[in-house]
Amino acid sequence: MLILGIETSCDETAAAVVSGERRILSNIVYSQLSEHAPYGGVVPEIASRAHLQKIGGILLQAVAEAGITFRELDGIAATSGPGLIGGVIVGLMAGKGLAAALGKPFIGVNHLEGHALTARLTDNVPFPFLLLLVSGGHSQLVIVEEVGCYTLLGTTIDDAIGEAFDKTAKMLGFGYPGGAAVEKTAVGGNPNAFTLPRPLMGRAGCDFSFAGLKTAVWRTVETYRHPASRKAAAQDLVPTEKDPALALRAPQDDSNLCASFQAACGDILADRLSHAIAQFRERCPQGKHIVVAGGVAANNYLRARLKETSEKHGLTLVAPPLKLCTDNAAMIAWAGAERLSRGFSDGLDCRPRARWPLMEMASLREGHKTDEAIQ
Ligand code: KG4
Ligand code: ZN
């Protein structure tokens, strides 16, 4: 089975061809980063236009690199949510148009399900597994029992963890998105240099909270870049054109702050994961795997912390390779293959969704619910 996947829910225009035998034949990702960078975040209107400009060429490239023709495809899968609605519409319409023209099945994929099932593409992880989804928009712990069968154990009550990474990066004058820059800057830093809060840690349940940590980082940055506190270290000044106030910062402060921030995130994730493991064990005693997915799963420090926690509880942590953790279309094609092989496909009335929680996915157990049934 050969599936073409299309991903346009945020700021990557991506297309990939994946086989039902878990082979990635092509995986094209065009990042719009440079177009959004001047604005310090993703501008939805710019994203939609860029998707529209790029999608045609990227689809041709994905099929050409796979060494196949469109006619050889068995299905077309496109992200139909959640995400920035303009971008979702571009990819969804391209996918539906192709499916209609080729007379092939169409599968509307939930972007989060794409992240959730990636470890089955890369490592053939069996069901059930415990999923930790950590991305720019989500921090969730979910039991995955089958395609479409998800139980939410905990979610963020305020900001997503990726958002906390991106805001920290922004406060330090790094570009957007800043998660990878924070990780790089943390290398060699002292994780105990700054005392930062660990919201909800030690409390019952599996929910997350990152707003308090973000605010504490902001207060810390404000303090150490204040002229009075920096007088003594004048030789350490960092010149920056963007913000003269940031010029008062010493490089080691950044490094220590990023390390302290990451350590706080690591403690929070480890604590919440331990609680989720207890619930997973109770519900699925046969489950052996923990899967970490989403852009923040690219962070090596956090991966190491999660591995430690998993092993402590006798479970195996599976983390997809870095480029399959951040947004890509191979994960969408694979989710499409998983759905199509179970007889699930969607009509051309499949609609784009800005919001689409995993828990609202049609479940195999309950039968395939239609769009109307899950309203
Ligand atoms: O899954 P993703 O590519 O897009 C969403 O669906 O949100 O995740 C993007 C998020 C951003 O917040 C980005 O800063 C974060 O993943 N990220 C990282 C790293 N690489 C990307 N966060 C921490 N460390 C990294 N190395
Ligand atoms: Zn994502």
Side-chain angles (χ1 to χ4, degrees), residues 1-328:
M1 179 192 284
L2 290 176
I3 304 290
L4 172 70
I6 304 172
E7 159 59 35
T8 55
S9 66
C10 191
D11 57 346
E12 272 96 14
T13 316
V17 177
V18 167
S19 82
E21 294 72 45
R22 305 175 33 238
R23 226 159 54 81
I24 300 175
L25 281 75
S26 66
N27 187 17
I28 315 296
V29 181
Y30 167 73
S31 167
Q32 305 172 357
L33 264 186
S34 59
E35 283 153 85
H36 299 289
Y39 305 95
V42 178
V43 183
E45 186 58 26
I46 293 176
S48 313
R49 286 171 194 274
H51 285 307
L52 206 49
Q53 269 174 4
K54 291 283 174 190
I55 190 76
I58 280 175
L59 288 171
L60 292 172
Q61 203 183 336
V63 169
E65 274 194 24
I68 59 160
T69 61
F70 281 108
R71 300 232 162 260
E72 289 173 71
L73 291 166
D74 297 293
I76 318 286
T79 300
S80 55
L84 298 173
I85 200 69
V88 171
I89 289 171
V90 172
L92 184 59
M93 293 310 287
K96 287 200 233 176
L98 267 177
L102 296 165
K104 308 278 181 184
F106 174 77
I107 311 106
V109 171
N110 181 311
H111 178 90
L112 305 174
E113 184 170 69
H115 280 303
L117 300 178
T118 303
R120 287 174 53 78
L121 166 66
T122 57
D123 296 82
N124 205 8
V125 175
F127 294 119
F129 57 84
L130 176 63
L131 169 73
L132 172 65
L133 180 62
V134 277
S135 71
H138 296 87
S139 313
Q140 296 188 339
L141 278 155
V142 178
I143 294 178
V144 181
E145 286 179 82
E146 235 305 343
V147 174
C149 187
Y150 306 104
T151 306
L152 181 70
L153 300 182
T155 187
T156 182
I157 57 169
D158 41 53
D159 297 341
I161 183 168
E163 216 175 319
F165 266 90
D166 292 338
K167 293 273 164 59
T168 296
K170 197 169 180 177
M171 288 180 241
L172 294 173
F174 304 159
Y176 176 88
V182 170
E183 179 178 15
K184 210 170 137 205
T185 309
V187 175
N190 174 5
N192 303 313
F194 296 101
T195 308
L196 297 172
R198 275 105 169 117
L200 297 185
M201 206 170 120
R203 300 258 287 271
C206 308
D207 282 340
F208 300 91
S209 165
F210 290 98
L213 175 58
K214 185 181 77 183
T215 308
V217 169
W218 180 76
R219 283 214 192 92
T220 308
V221 175
E222 283 298 297
T223 310
Y224 76 61
R225 77 181 185 188
H226 193 272
S229 63
R230 291 254 45 92
K231 250 190 225 154
Q235 69 275 27
D236 289 339
L237 298 190
V238 182
T240 148
E241 289 154 17
K242 282 189 201 146
D243 179 356
L246 293 179
L248 299 160
R249 208 173 69 209
Q252 200 48 39
D253 284 338
D254 283 4
S255 187
N256 288 341
L257 181 61
C258 288
S260 303
F261 168 75
Q262 266 193 176
C265 290
D267 286 351
I268 295 168
L269 292 187
D271 177 74
R272 306 284 87 193
L273 181 61
S274 299
H275 288 215
I277 288 171
Q279 294 189 28
F280 178 55
R281 277 259 160 77
E282 215 165 279
R283 189 173 167 139
C284 306
Q286 76 280 28
K288 302 227 170 344
H289 295 89
I290 296 177
V291 168
V292 57
V296 181
N299 187 292
N300 288 303
Y301 169 79
L302 294 180
R303 279 179 183 230
R305 293 291 308 268
L306 295 170
K307 188 162 185 277
E308 194 182 284
T309 308
S310 307
E311 284 170 0
K312 202 170 94 193
H313 290 89
L315 296 171
T316 305
L317 182 81
V318 178
L322 301 195
K323 72 173 188 175
L324 293 176
C325 281
T326 49
D327 288 351
N328 66 87

